[in-house]
Each structure stands twice: as C-alpha cells, then as structure tokens.
Amino acid sequence: MIISSASVAAQNKDSISHLIQLRLDTVFEKIKTEKDDEKLFELVLNIYYTGIEAYPLLYLDMSQRLYTLAKEKKNKMLEASALSFFGQSYRMSGNYVKGLEYHHKAIALAETVQSKSLLGITQNQMAHIYKDRGEFDKALKLYWSAMSNARQGKTQEIIVWPSINLGAIYLVTN
C-alpha cells in the first residue's frame, strides 16, 4: 500500500514537471520569433507563470536556453533576463552566493538597457535572496528600488511584485 502511494505521488510530480516543460517550450518558441522588445519582455515574464518555481533544474535549463538565444540575437534585454533567471535558479537550489553573482550581473546589464521594467524585475529577484537570508534591510532597499523602477517602466504588472514582497517583509519584521 505504501509503495503504490509513493509510486502515484512520483508519477503525479513527474506529470506536473512534464506539463510545466510543455508550457516552457511553448513560451520559448514564441520568444524565439518575437522581434519587438516590449512584447519579448512580456513573453519572458510569462515564464514565471508556468509553475517553474518548484523545479530548479527546469529553471536552470530555461536560463541556459534564454542565455544562448540572447547571445544569438545579441539582445541585452534577453541576456539580462537570462542572468536573472540563473540567479533565481541558484537561489531556489540554495546556492545564494552563486545566485547573487548572477543577479549582480543581471542588474548591471539591465542598467545599460532602456527598460525600467527590466531593471525593476532584476532588482526584485535579487532582493529575494536577501529576504531568504534574513537580511531584511538590504531586501527592503532593493524592493523599494524595484518598485520605483517598475513604476517608471512600461509593464504595469511588475509594480505588484515588489509591493507584495515589501508587504511580506513588513509582516515578518512587524
């Protein structure tokens, strides 16, 4: 009885990861052909909505795919996004040092691109590591900066993310 329960759970988890992989492949195919940077950025954001967060290896694979495509297209926005995804995948696997290394690179590159939305999301993602490590002052500063940049950007949904994260930190710290 216990063995069959474990087998069902394993198959279910495998089915979910397969479904997420299919979603990622669909989004990536659209990213590959999109020419407009604003639409491209929105497609990249769709990766977050695939359910990838629970699967660091899928995250790492998608990061590499985005990075390779960014280099082929010579697209700095896509490259900064890929670096941020690398940072997030290392964060999710518990390697905060490597995660911060990639997030710093992502932010530095995002600062060279004329997209406040991109800068906002890269800062938001980096702040997660400081939040996870309990370095709330650093996290708060980055989340505030992310929200400020997001408000100046063209992608309105980005404003919500640092706002939610600020709320989470204020809740934890009373």
Side-chain angles (χ1 to χ4, degrees), residues 75-92:
N75 186 307
K76 288 185 178 186
M77 184 280 299
L78 201 54
E79 184 178 348
S81 296
L83 291 170
S84 184
F85 273 92
F86 274 121
Q88 191 70 352
S89 63
Y90 282 110
R91 169 192 170 234
M92 291 171 27

Side-chain angles (χ1 to χ4, degrees), residues 107-124:
I107 289 173
L109 189 55
E111 288 172 339
T112 70
V113 177
Q114 298 299 315
S115 172
K116 290 291 189 173
S117 295
L118 175 63
L119 185 55
I121 192 66
T122 57
Q123 291 170 323
N124 182 75

Side-chain angles (χ1 to χ4, degrees), residues 38 41 114-120 146-159:
E38 289 300 318
F41 182 68
Q114 298 299 315
S115 172
K116 290 291 189 173
S117 295
L118 175 63
L119 185 55
M147 188 164 50
S148 174
N149 282 310
R151 284 182 173 156
Q152 297 172 52
K154 294 179 181 178
T155 309
Q156 293 299 305
E157 76 182 89
I158 303 264
I159 297 168

Side-chain angles (χ1 to χ4, degrees), residues 4-172:
S4 61
S5 294
S7 175
V8 170
Q11 288 176 350
N12 188 30
K13 184 172 174 103
D14 188 47
S15 299
I16 293 170
S17 66
H18 179 70
L19 178 62
I20 292 169
Q21 185 65 60
L22 291 174
R23 290 178 190 158
L24 289 168
D25 290 345
T26 300
V27 173
F28 189 72
E29 287 304 311
K30 292 176 183 176
I31 288 171
K32 282 176 26 180
T33 59
E34 184 57 57
K35 305 272 189 255
D36 179 79
D37 268 355
E38 289 300 318
K39 290 178 184 173
L40 184 61
F41 182 68
E42 289 175 16
L43 287 169
V44 169
L45 291 180
N46 285 333
I47 293 170
Y48 293 106
Y49 301 123
T50 62
I52 194 173
E53 296 81 23
Y55 299 90
L57 293 178
L58 289 179
Y59 227 120
L60 193 57
D61 178 63
M62 179 52 66
S63 305
Q64 186 61 56
R65 290 167 70 186
L66 282 175
Y67 188 77
T68 300
L69 182 62
K71 289 300 192 177
E72 286 172 13
K73 287 187 164 194
K74 296 181 172 120
N75 186 307
K76 288 185 178 186
M77 184 280 299
L78 201 54
E79 184 178 348
S81 296
L83 291 170
S84 184
F85 273 92
F86 274 121
Q88 191 70 352
S89 63
Y90 282 110
R91 169 192 170 234
M92 291 171 27
S93 66
N95 190 340
Y96 295 136
V97 173
K98 193 94 166 159
L100 281 173
E101 178 185 319
Y102 277 98
H103 282 304
H104 279 292
K105 290 177 184 179
I107 289 173
L109 189 55
E111 288 172 339
T112 70
V113 177
Q114 298 299 315
S115 172
K116 290 291 189 173
S117 295
L118 175 63
L119 185 55
I121 192 66
T122 57
Q123 291 170 323
N124 182 75
Q125 296 306 91
M126 182 173 166
H128 290 332
I129 291 179
Y130 291 118
K131 178 186 60 132
D132 292 353
R133 294 185 347 179
E135 297 178 53
F136 299 124
D137 289 342
K138 289 180 182 179
L140 285 171
K141 286 178 187 173
L142 269 171
Y143 285 136
W144 276 110
S145 185
M147 188 164 50
S148 174
N149 282 310
R151 284 182 173 156
Q152 297 172 52
K154 294 179 181 178
T155 309
Q156 293 299 305
E157 76 182 89
I158 303 264
I159 297 168
V160 175
W161 297 359
S163 301
I164 292 169
N165 295 318
L166 282 166
I169 289 183
Y170 287 130
L171 183 64
V172 167

